[in-house]
Amino acid sequence: MYVKAAADKKGNLVPLMRKWVLILISLTFVGVFILVPLAAVFFEALKKGIELYFLSLTEPDAWSAIKLTLTIAAISVPLNTLFGVIAAWGIAKFEFKGKNILITLIDIPFAVSPVIAGLVFVLLFGSQGLLGPFLEAHNVKIIFAIPGIVLATIFVTFPFVVRELLPIMEEQGTEEEQAALTLGAGGWQIFWRVTLPNIKWGLLYGVILCNARAMGEFGAVSVVSGHIRGLTNTLPLHVEILYNEYNFTAAFASASLLALLALFTLLLKSIVEWKSIKKRH
Amino acid sequence: MSISINSVSKAFGLYPAVNNVSLTIPKGDFAALLGPSGSGKTTLLRLIAGLENPNQGRILFNGIDYTDKSVKERKVGFVFQQYALFKHMTIFENVAFGLKVRPRKSRPSKQQIHEKVFELLKLVQLENTAARYPAQLSGGQRQRIALARALAVEPEVLLLDEPFGALDAKVRQELRLWLRELHQKLNITTVFVTHDQEEALEMADTIVVMNHGQIEQIGSPEKVYNDPANSFVYSFLGRVNEFRGDSIPQELRLNEETAGYIRPHEIVLSRTALDTSSPSEVIHVHTVGSAVRVELKRLDTDDILEAELSTEKYRQIGPLIKGEMLYADFSRMVIFDDDRPNQAKVSNKIVTAL
């Protein structure tokens, strides 16, 4: 904004220079805020040698955190995918009252701070919570246990798939489905043969983002998990605990796993994007 | 299969798209639903297909009530305006779709499907496109594939929604003839929707003229063109000049509201005055194919109007130039006494649009 104004004041500033100034600013910004920290994570993790790096990842508590993180993602991502497809299908292909309210509700996890999301579950299912006595009486443990972490993760990653699919489905309209209908196809046949192939790239994209967030979520999970080592500690929580204990190498080793996941996700995302663009032409 | 529509109504919210429509289309007929946009013609077509459910009335196929039957049970072939081909499937897979989704018991073998698809591709003259994707075809080719796909399920009724709407004029002309021939060959009861009166007049055996969700007239092209039921049909089926008040000969005028209509080619132009003709000034002359259109200003009433002459007649009368004086005879003007007031308004609009 500032650069633009300065250029306009001078009036005859060469556009080429403006271009390079803008590119330089962006590069500096990306460098300082993204590349340097990312490099620092790997640098700190590997500072004391590769042996210690692997040791801190295979140590039982770290290993259990990794397994838990994978488990949580394996439960919440498919559920949100299923829900996302159903909701996007319903919203995009049918007209009904309260449609806009539903769309707004789906966006709530994006708008609300994850910590508050976690807190809501504690207030609902915690021992002091609304349903607490009932759950305790039936010996069901949700808060400070895996079900709570799954719930919090599902809540936080709820909108990714729907949000990704909605515009695609709305753009495609319902004509192909109607055509399939007139050709004698049933509901499932239409979904598998017509709708799903048309949305598959968008769906994959949404699933990738949903998965990245499910594995990386800290705030909501932190509130409901109870940080029980080897039991309810996910990878992001594990990083925090290690860091607070001044166990920097181990903390950064675990953090590097999350960073690698992020890089891998970005790579997948780019491939999917590239494929879906190619498909369209 | 014959189609009977008995007092069918369909509203979207408060908007009545189709309002108490009754219509019978005999077996093997080639019928056009013709009307301006918003006249309910596409809704009526979708009601026949079962893609919409009527609020009222019954729809019968061969005399059997099909109103509550699903789209699947109706066995209609439907061609969508934008073709709605499956983008991610090859042309072969598109055409084969209707056969492949059949329940196992009635599903043809792979070999049979292959034969059937190529038979249909041959019929639409596009055998060489089987391995391609819809995006690789031209609009006219996609249109024909959409038709082949609809025919694959051997429908007894073929429904087409603005089949040529998205095509350029030349392709449209070719496809019209082709579709007409195809209908003659297959003899499937066919209903198509169009807003183009020329298309309807050229192709259909029966024309159903629609306006405001209602049928204005049903008849052969000759019937609706030469003997229109009211001013709307008259105006919609061709170019028209509309006159009001003093511009209408005294003996035709029923009341203040009466409107008189005359088609451009029915105005007789001459260089000499007759007792019934009015002096008119030439404003503009242009040639359209085998006809010459002359824009005139009637000097006695100041109406602007359009006359049309054959090139032969134009040659007899001699070249016309702007500002020249002619005598125009309006004795073939017609009036409609059954006009509802809202219709007069509609016709008015159409005339000013000319």
Side-chain angles (χ1 to χ4, degrees):
Chain A
M1 221 36 220
Y2 173 77
V3 174
K4 204 178 172 191
D8 285 351
K9 227 181 217 173
K10 273 209 163 184
N12 53 359
L13 205 73
V14 209
L16 198 67
M17 200 175 145
R18 197 185 307 173
K19 175 177 137 191
W20 283 110
V21 167
L22 287 173
I23 290 177
L24 201 68
I25 292 175
S26 317
L27 280 180
T28 315
F29 199 88
V30 168
V32 170
F33 288 96
I34 296 173
L35 289 181
V36 171
L38 195 63
V41 168
F42 289 101
F43 178 76
E44 286 291 335
L46 294 165
K47 204 161 66 175
K48 302 227 168 113
I50 194 105
E51 228 161 277
L52 195 62
Y53 176 79
F54 281 113
L55 207 63
S56 45
L57 287 182
T58 47
E59 159 277 313
D61 284 349
W63 187 231
S64 118
I66 293 169
K67 278 195 289 187
L68 181 61
T69 300
L70 291 176
T71 310
I72 300 297
I75 299 170
S76 50
V77 173
L79 281 175
N80 269 341
T81 305
L82 185 69
F83 163 79
V85 171
I86 293 171
W89 171 291
I91 293 170
K93 313 260 166 173
F94 299 100
E95 285 303 320
F96 54 90
K97 270 186 190 154
K99 192 164 157 171
N100 283 328
I101 298 174
L102 184 59
I103 296 174
T104 313
L105 285 177
I106 287 169
D107 273 343
I108 281 184
F110 275 167
V112 171
S113 157
V115 176
I116 297 173
L119 206 59
V120 169
F121 286 113
V122 172
L123 290 176
L124 269 178
F125 303 119
S127 56
Q128 311 296 317
L130 213 57
L131 299 170
F134 174 82
L135 292 173
E136 234 157 74
H138 291 80
N139 223 352
V140 181
K141 203 148 170 48
I142 290 181
I143 298 303
F144 304 147
I146 294 176
I149 305 177
V150 172
L151 279 177
T153 306
I154 288 179
F155 180 87
V156 172
T157 56
F158 190 56
F160 283 96
V161 175
V162 199
R163 272 287 151 200
E164 203 54 55
L165 290 184
L166 251 187
I168 301 175
M169 283 187 153
E170 268 171 354
E171 187 204 315
Q172 283 171 348
T174 54
E175 274 218 330
E176 283 188 39
E177 276 88 2
Q178 287 181 10
L181 197 64
T182 62
L183 292 168
W188 276 111
Q189 286 175 318
I190 294 176
F191 179 75
W192 286 110
R193 288 167 182 265
V194 179
T195 307
L196 198 60
N198 272 333
I199 61 168
K200 66 178 174 206
W201 295 116
L203 181 63
L204 199 55
Y205 190 89
V207 169
I208 288 169
L209 289 180
C210 182
N211 183 58
R213 183 65 191 268
M215 290 190 175
E217 176 55 26
F218 178 83
V221 170
S222 171
V223 177
V224 296
S225 107
H227 305 260
I228 308 165
R229 275 199 195 195
L231 220 52
T232 64
N233 239 2
T234 62
L235 211 44
L237 301 183
H238 189 60
V239 173
E240 195 212 13
I241 291 180
L242 292 172
Y243 189 82
N244 287 344
E245 290 171 350
Y246 304 102
N247 193 351
F248 294 132
T249 306
F252 278 108
S254 295
S256 74
L257 268 191
L258 287 170
L260 278 176
L261 167 76
L263 290 175
F264 180 65
T265 304
L266 284 178
L267 182 73
L268 267 185
K269 183 178 145 249
S270 307
I271 292 172
V272 168
E273 253 173 3
W274 177 73
K275 282 245 179 193
S276 65
I277 286 169
K278 210 179 90 178
K279 193 86 196 165
R280 241 175 273 157
H281 293 295
Chain B
M1 195 147 67
S2 71
I3 306 166
S4 297
I5 294 156
N6 294 341
S7 325
V8 162
S9 294
K10 172 72 184 177
F12 295 108
L14 289 172
Y15 177 75
V18 168
N19 196 357
N20 198 20
V21 162
S22 294
L23 168 69
T24 300
I25 299 164
K27 185 178 186 314
D29 200 26
F30 198 19
L33 302 179
L34 172 69
S37 57
S39 59
K41 54 192 191 303
T42 294
T43 307
L44 186 57
L45 194 77
R46 292 174 62 89
L47 283 164
I48 298 172
L51 290 168
E52 306 284 353
N53 294 315
N55 302 125
Q56 242 177 52
R58 313 304 302 172
I59 294 168
L60 285 72
F61 287 171
N62 275 346
I64 300 160
D65 193 341
Y66 265 69
T67 318
D68 300 319
K69 300 242 171 157
S70 69
V71 182
K72 205 171 163 174
E73 290 168 299
R74 296 192 194 202
K75 295 207 168 62
V76 295
F78 199 100
V79 177
F80 291 82
Q81 191 173 357
Q82 305 295 336
Y83 322 133
L85 294 178
F86 306 126
K87 291 187 280 291
H88 60 285
M89 294 183 202
T90 61
I91 297 308
F92 180 90
E93 288 167 332
N94 261 283
V95 179
F97 186 88
L99 300 171
K100 283 187 176 171
V101 297
R102 280 198 192 159
R104 201 169 294 254
K105 258 187 280 166
S106 56
R107 195 187 308 155
S109 71
K110 257 195 165 167
Q111 182 60 31
Q112 285 169 314
I113 292 179
H114 192 270
E115 275 167 23
K116 178 85 191 174
V117 169
F118 274 92
E119 184 193 313
L120 284 161
L121 288 177
K122 201 169 171 182
L123 184 73
V124 299
Q125 298 148 14
L126 286 169
E127 301 121 289
N128 53 348
T129 63
R132 286 194 229 163
Y133 284 90
Q136 294 167 300
L137 302 190
S138 71
Q141 290 174 325
R142 277 182 228 176
Q143 167 68 33
R144 283 186 278 162
I145 294 301
L147 197 63
R149 184 179 68 174
L151 291 172
V153 295
E154 289 170 2
E156 290 187 69
V157 175
L158 189 60
L159 306 170
L160 305 108
D161 187 7
E162 297 269 6
F164 313 116
L167 301 171
D168 57 62
K170 193 168 174 290
V171 181
R172 198 181 302 180
Q173 191 58 38
E174 285 168 14
L175 277 184
R176 274 186 206 167
L177 287 172
W178 176 81
L179 184 62
R180 183 73 241 191
E181 277 170 25
L182 193 72
H183 176 257
Q184 234 130 36
K185 210 188 287 180
L186 303 173
N187 204 30
I188 304 174
T189 312
T190 304
V191 183
F192 73 102
V193 156
T194 180
H195 62 266
D196 182 342
Q197 77 282 0
E198 227 177 87
E199 199 165 284
L201 290 168
E202 194 180 311
M203 293 175 66
D205 300 324
T206 310
I207 294 181
V208 180
V209 186
M210 292 189 68
N211 188 30
H212 293 314
Q214 285 173 320
I215 293 176
E216 299 285 353
Q217 191 175 5
I218 305 170
S220 67
E222 298 73 40
K223 173 85 179 166
V224 288
Y225 189 81
N226 295 325
D227 189 12
N230 54 46
S231 63
F232 174 80
V233 176
Y234 187 88
S235 308
F236 199 74
L237 281 174
R239 298 172 85 88
V240 73
N241 293 294
E242 185 187 296
F243 298 103
R244 287 188 182 272
D246 291 338
S247 310
I248 304 170
Q250 196 64 47
E251 66 276 13
L252 282 178
R253 225 175 299 160
L254 300 170
N255 54 47
E256 294 290 298
E257 297 291 305
T258 307
Y261 304 89
I262 188 164
R263 297 213 188 277
H265 68 264
E266 290 174 329
I267 297 174
V268 182
L269 297 179
S270 63
R271 293 213 181 255
T272 47
L274 302 165
D275 36 332
T276 53
S277 60
S278 327
S280 304
E281 187 190 324
V282 177
I283 299 175
H284 184 65
V285 182
H286 66 284
T287 311
V288 192
S290 60
V292 180
R293 288 202 182 126
V294 187
E295 218 175 292
L296 294 163
K297 184 180 177 186
R298 224 175 125 171
L299 293 178
D300 53 351
T301 58
D302 279 353
D303 289 312
I304 304 285
L305 54 101
E306 186 188 77
E308 195 177 292
L309 314 161
S310 64
T311 32
E312 200 177 322
K313 181 86 173 79
Y314 182 70
R315 229 174 285 129
Q316 283 171 18
I317 220 172
L320 296 172
I321 47 165
K322 197 175 158 180
E324 212 167 335
M325 184 85 99
L326 283 176
Y327 293 91
D329 179 78
F330 300 107
S331 51
R332 293 177 69 182
M333 192 184 290
V334 291
I335 60 152
F336 295 92
D337 53 4
D338 62 336
D339 276 356
R340 282 161 275 167
N342 64 339
Q343 265 190 346
K345 248 189 189 163
V346 171
S347 344
N348 210 344
K349 258 197 212 148
I350 285 157
V351 172
T352 44
L354 273 179

